[in-house]
Amino acid sequence: CIRLENLGTATVQLRERNWRIFSLSGTLETVRGRGVVGQEPILSRDQPAFQYSSHVSLQAPSGHMWGTFRMEREDGYAFDCRIPPFSLESKQEDPNDPQILGN
């Protein structure tokens, strides 16, 4: 899960995402688009945080990703919020494993 939190005083809206996804198989993919999970959340003093879940397809059991979120203030000023690299692990689902069934 990814959690965004506005620690500043100005209200901002997430407008775009730009991710770089590196798989340990050696592939590097770029993912760009409007908002996240079909939304362009507004982070304000009243609602400073937004949390979402998403997934990526890896060509190997693990990898990492990093990128930026393009944020926009109410006055129209836009800036990039850098996301440092973090690890990715593939979920290897075994249909015979009762722990995974129903999840």
Side-chain angles (χ1 to χ4, degrees):
C1 133
I2 297 174
R3 178 182 169 86
L4 308 170
E5 188 169 354
N6 181 358
L7 301 177
T9 57
T11 296
V12 297
Q13 185 168 14
L14 190 157
R15 292 296 192 179
E16 299 174 7
R17 69 189 182 286
N18 182 6
W19 289 113
R20 302 283 285 171
I21 304 162
F22 178 76
S23 172
L24 288 184
S25 67
T27 60
L28 181 62
E29 180 182 356
T30 298
V31 176
R32 295 181 182 162
R34 298 288 299 175
V36 290
V37 295
Q39 299 181 55
E40 293 183 22
I42 296 173
L43 306 176
S44 65
R45 286 187 186 192
D46 294 334
Q47 293 185 335
F50 178 77
Q51 189 168 302
Y52 72 97
S53 294
S54 188
H55 71 278
V56 298
S57 296
L58 289 178
Q59 304 301 317
S62 63
H64 55 272
M65 65 188 283
W66 66 95
T68 58
F69 288 128
R70 170 61 54 106
M71 309 300 286
E72 185 177 309
R73 292 190 320 213
E74 291 175 306
D75 64 6
Y77 177 78
F79 61 95
D80 288 336
C81 179
R82 290 174 36 156
I83 312 301
F86 58 92
S87 297
L88 299 171
E89 300 295 327
S90 289
K91 241 184 185 176
Q92 298 296 326
E93 296 189 10
D94 178 355
N96 298 318
D97 185 348
Q99 298 280 348
I100 293 176
L101 291 176
N103 287 345

